[in-house]
Amino acid sequence: MLAAPLVHYAFALDWTIVIGIVGLAYGLGLWSAARAGRPHPLAQVVAFYASLAILLVSFLTPVDAYDNVSFFDHMAQHLLLAFVAAPLFALGGPIGLALKATPPRWRSRWLVPVVDSKAFEAITHPAAAAASFLLVQAGILVRPLFNDAVNTGLPHFTQHALLLATSFLVWRSMAGVDPPWHRVRFPVRPTLSVVLLAVVSAAALFVLVADVPLYRYATFPPPWGGHAALLSQRRGAWLLLAGGDCLVLAAAFLVHRATLRVRVVTGEA
């Protein structure tokens, strides 16, 4: 029944605070950049706030309530984070906006040295971004780690934060609208897309071939546990395989098109 005790709506205060702070900081950055005569492209502003809207849908609706009892719903939430919110966030150009909005003295003393540092360049490199995404995706499927995250506590928050962060790094590399600048040309963009497709497909197949429930959903009372958990697991695997691959391709296409438009507007084409 829908009223099973495991299903309950809990206001995601942690994510609400994070989303609110990020949205406010970005808005203040827009104001500061405009005052300095360096306005941010409208397309990037729309993309950024659209990503925050997707985050609100992911964490403040029944999507978040049901991910604690349904593997299918949990995978749907992960797809929204990694392949809808993250690419939009990357297209928002938050690093570039920070460079525009920060007062010159602080920018030259603090922000520019960080952005131009070898460490930051290494972290944001396409190869490092792809490796971090692969590591987090594999870690998510590890049974103890996944089971610990099936709640509304810190492991749950950390899992989604890492998923968002590593996904952002990959899409940021593909978008190429934010410093540090890596030469992500034609061969690299499709290669990153293929890597994402391979990772998502491998994760889906790993779950799909299992003939028993892999995670703690199986221990839940009806209607969530037992055979229902196995059905949810298989449906989640198919969602990850079909929906995930489709979203990767759609996001890669939109990122490429949006990147071209941004570069035309900013004179970087």
Side-chain angles (χ1 to χ4, degrees), residues 14 31 47 52 63 67 91 106 148 155 158 176 188 203 227 233 268:
D14 48 5
W31 174 77
L52 298 189
V63 172
D67 79 342
L91 285 174
W106 293 0
D148 286 344
T158 302
V188 180
H227 185 64
Q233 182 174 286
E268 299 173 10

Side-chain angles (χ1 to χ4, degrees), residues 9-57:
Y9 175 77
F11 183 71
L13 181 61
D14 48 5
W15 279 107
T16 302
I17 292 174
V18 170
I19 294 169
I21 291 175
V22 171
L24 179 60
Y26 193 87
L28 292 175
L30 292 174
W31 174 77
S32 180
R35 285 193 63 189
R38 297 185 294 270
H40 211 48
L42 178 60
Q44 291 182 271
V45 177
V46 171
F48 188 87
Y49 281 109
S51 75
L52 298 189
I54 296 299
L55 292 181
L56 290 174
V57 170

Side-chain angles (χ1 to χ4, degrees), residues 90-262:
L91 285 174
I95 301 174
L97 177 61
L99 289 170
K100 293 177 184 178
T102 305
R105 181 179 176 182
W106 293 0
R107 181 168 62 247
S108 60
R109 185 174 181 179
W110 302 106
L111 193 55
V112 171
V114 170
V115 174
D116 289 343
S117 68
K118 294 295 184 181
F120 196 72
E121 183 179 357
I123 292 172
T124 57
H125 191 277
S132 65
F133 180 82
L134 173 60
L135 182 63
V136 167
Q137 284 295 318
I140 284 174
L141 295 178
V142 174
R143 187 176 301 178
L145 297 179
F146 190 98
N147 287 339
D148 286 344
V150 182
N151 56 57
T152 56
L154 182 60
H156 190 78
F157 179 89
T158 302
Q159 181 193 75
H160 290 150
L162 287 174
L163 179 63
L164 266 174
T166 54
S167 301
F168 164 74
L169 289 175
V170 173
W171 292 113
R172 193 213 68 85
S173 296
M174 294 181 67
V177 299
D178 241 355
W181 310 112
H182 299 285
R183 295 187 177 182
V184 186
R185 302 303 182 187
F186 174 76
V188 180
R189 292 176 189 271
T191 299
L192 284 174
S193 299
V194 170
V195 169
L196 291 177
L197 287 170
V199 171
V200 172
S201 298
L205 291 174
F206 167 77
V207 176
L208 189 61
V209 298
D211 55 2
V212 295
L214 296 174
Y215 306 109
R216 63 183 292 191
Y217 297 118
T219 66
F220 292 164
W224 311 111
H227 185 64
L230 181 60
L231 290 178
S232 178
Q233 182 174 286
R234 288 174 177 168
R235 290 168 183 164
W238 280 114
L239 175 66
L240 194 59
L241 184 62
D245 287 352
C246 289
L247 283 177
V248 168
L249 293 174
F253 175 76
L254 290 176
V255 164
H256 176 68
R257 293 295 301 271
T259 300
L260 293 179
R261 289 197 298 270
V262 168

